[in-house]
Amino acid sequence: MGRRNRNRQKPQQFRDGKPEAKRSRDDAGWGAGYSEIIKENKLFEHYYKELKIVPDGEFEEFMEAMREPLPATIRITGYKSHAKEILHTLKEKYFKEVQDLEVDGQKIEAPQPLSWYPDELAWHTNLSRKILRKSPFLEKFHQFLVSETESGNISRQEAVSMIPPLLMKIDSQHKILDMCAAPGSKTAQLIEMLHSDMDVPFPEGFVIANDVDNKRCYLLVHQAKRLNSPCIMVVNHDASNIPRLHFDQDGKKEVLFYDRILCDVPCSGDGTMRKNIDVWKKWTTSNSLQLHGLQIRIAVRGVEQLAVGGRMVYSTCSLNPIEDEAVIAALLEKSEGALELADASADLPGLKYMPGITSWKVMTKEGQWFSDWSEVPKSRHTQIRPTMFPPTDPEKLANMRLERCMRILPHHQNTGGFFVAVLVKKEPMPWNRRFPKLRNKDVNASSDVAPAEELQMGASPAEVPPSDGLSTDTPVEAVEEETPAEGNPSVPETPDLSEVKKDNVCGPPPPKKMKLFGFKEDPFVFLTEDDPIFPPIQAFYDLSPDFPKLNVLTRTHEGKKRHLYMVSKELRNVLLNNSERMKVINTGVKVWSRNTDGEEFGCAFRLAQEGIYTLCPYIRARIINITVEDVKVLLTQENPFLRNLGDDAHSHAKKLEMGSIVLRYLPDPKDQDAPQCPIDLCGWRGKTSIRAFVPRNERLHYLRMVGVEVFRDKQGKRTDGSTEAQEGSTEDAEGLSQESDLVKQEGAEMEQNGSESNTNSTEPVGSACDGPIS
C-alpha cells in the first residue's frame, strides 16, 4: 500500500461561502470535539424537557453533563490469557503514576474501573488527548496505550458502547450477526466472548460483521484482525436487505438462522454530544423522523434471521423515543407475540439506567407537536408515520413492557447517552409461519422465483421490507387467501414451483441482483485434502492427524500460493454455500507465509505470528521451550547467536534443522514474578543464529510482560536495552539472508497493523467514535 503524502496541502474547507476556521480537538477527551462550538441548542432542551426522559429536578444536571468532555475509556481484551498480566501492569505501574498528577493546572483523577463491567477489564479517566500526547509525565503511558491497542490487547471504546455485547449472553457455539458493525469496537467484544476458552482454537460459533459502507468495512477489518480469530467474516451489504444465507447440515441445504444478533442501527447520535460536538449545532428532530423507517427495516430484517430462542439486542446512541421505544413498539406489534422484551435489569449489576417510557409525542423541526397520528395533517404524512406514536390500545401497550428498555443518561455515571433493548424470539415471525396461495394454478416455473428452500425455511413474503419500513405484512391486494402450514408452524408446506410464475405469484419477490461497490476482492479458494502443498508442511511441522486441512484457504486461483489462511469449519460451510449471495471483504487468520527459495530448508512455508495460537495445538515438532531470559534476548536482539539462549533452549535449537520454529514460554507457578500465562512466538533457526518474527507492537507487549521497560524518547531512541547494531554477521543468518525481501515486506505490514492488508484496500486506522488510540 502506497504511503500517504503528508506534505500535500489539504483542500480548504468552506462553510456558507467563507473559509472555515481551523478546528482543534485538544480541549476534549479522546475523539471529542471542537472547542469553539457553543454547546447550546434551545430546541434540544425544549424537546427533552417536554418528553420528560430525565427525572424531575435533574434536567440541569443532565445538560451540564452533556457539555462536559467525555471521559477516556479503555477496555482490556478479556479472552486472551494474558489479560490479567496487562491489568496488573496498568494497576500497579501506570495508574499509580497518574494518580494525583497535575498537568497545566488540571488535576488528573486516578483511573477507575467501570463498576458494571466484569472482572475490572474496563476503565475510565479524565485524561484528555492533549494531556496524553503532550505531557512528558504521561509519555510512557501514552506509548503503552498505543502499542497495546495496535497489538489487540487494549481497545479504546466508549463506555456505553460496551453494553450491547454484554447483554447478548454469548457462548462459544453461537452464530452471531453484527448488522451495522463499523468501526468494530463492539465486533471485537463479540469475538472476545466467542473465544472465552483459549484452549479451543476453533469455537463452533462465528461472527459475521456487516456494514453498508465499503470503506468503513476496511476499518472493521483492521479492528477484527488485531484479535487474530479464524471465526470472523466481514461482509459488505445493506443491513435492511442483508442476504439470507444457507449452509449444509447433514447433507441438506438449510437456511442459516443466527443465535445472537446485534442491531446497533444508524441514528441521529444526540447521545454523543459530549464527544461529537458538531451535533450541538446540527441537532433537529427531523433527523430522527428521517431515520425511523430505516431503523425499523433493519430491525425487521434482523428478527427475520434470528433463530427461535435467540436474542437480538437493539441499540442506538440516541435518546429520542422516535428512534428507540417507537421502533421497539412497532417491532413488537408486527411480531404478533413472536417477540418479547427481555428483562435485562439484573444482567449488569452496577449499571444505572432509566426504564423505557410508554408515552411520548412527535415534534416537527419547526416545533409543532402531535400527540396522536389522527392529529397529523395529510401534508405531513410522508414525514410523520403512525409507528412513530405509542400504541393507543392500553392493554396492548401494557403487554409490550416497554419499561424493560434501558436508557442511559450521561449524568448518572459520567458516560454518553445510550438506548438498548433486548428482544427474545419465542416463535417464528407471523409472515414466516404461512405462505400465500397462488391465484393461478396453470402457470409455469420461472428462474426469477426465490429458491424452494427459502420458502421451506420461512422466507418473508417480502424478502425486503417495504421502502417506508412501516409494514412487512403480505400486501392485501396481492393475496387471495393465506393458510397456515400444518404441523410445524415454522416450516410451511412447500408450494409446487412448477405452479409459480413471476406475474402470478403472491409471495416472495424475485431476489434482487446483488449490487457490489468498492474494491474487487480476491477470491477465497479452499484447498483440498490431497493438495500437493500439504505433505511437506505436514512432515516439516509434524502436524497432528486431526489438523483440519479443509479449513485452509488462499486468496488466488493462479500462480504460487503466497499466504495460507484458516477459518473455522462453520465459516467454511457458510463461505462455500453463499459465494454468490454475499460480498465477503475479509475472513480467516494467516497461519503460513511463503519463503523465498524456502524449499531448501525443508518447507516452502514459514509460520505467521498472527495465526500462531490457532495453529500451535496441531504442531508437534520444531518447538523450542524458552525461559523469561530467553524471551528478553530474542526480543531485544535482532539476530542473536544460538549460544545466547539458555542451556536447555540452546541444546534443543542445535538439534533442529534450519527453518521456521515455535518459541514457547510456559509459566512456572513457583515464580510469581514471571508471566503466569503461556507465550508462543514465531521464529527462524539459522545456522548459528536465531530470530523472532514478531510484529513491533507485540514485541513491545511481550517485553513489558517479562519486566523490560520499553520507551522511545522524542528522538526515537529505544530504552529497552535492544542492540541497534546486530549481533552476528551475515553469515550467521543464512536462512534469513535469502528472506530479506520478505522480512522487509513483513516489517512494513507489521508497522501498519500487524497483519496482512488486502491487496486493494486503503484501510483507515482511526474513527471518530471508537478505535485505535492516537
Side-chain angles (χ1 to χ4, degrees), residues 37 78 83 122 214 218 316 350 364 393-394 410 433 556 566 573 581 625 631 659 673 700 703 760 772:
I37 292 179
N214 182 262
Y218 292 98
T316 74
T364 65
D393 185 340
R433 296 197 295 265
T556 179
M566 288 190 76
N573 192 339
R581 288 175 170 266
N625 290 321
V631 173
D673 293 331
L700 302 182
L703 281 173
N760 300 313

Side-chain angles (χ1 to χ4, degrees), residues 572-591:
R572 177 184 184 272
N573 192 339
V574 173
L575 267 170
L576 290 177
N577 286 284
N578 300 279
S579 60
E580 297 180 358
R581 288 175 170 266
M582 60 182 182
K583 181 181 179 183
V584 180
I585 300 297
N586 198 281
T587 191
V589 60
K590 184 167 66 176
V591 290

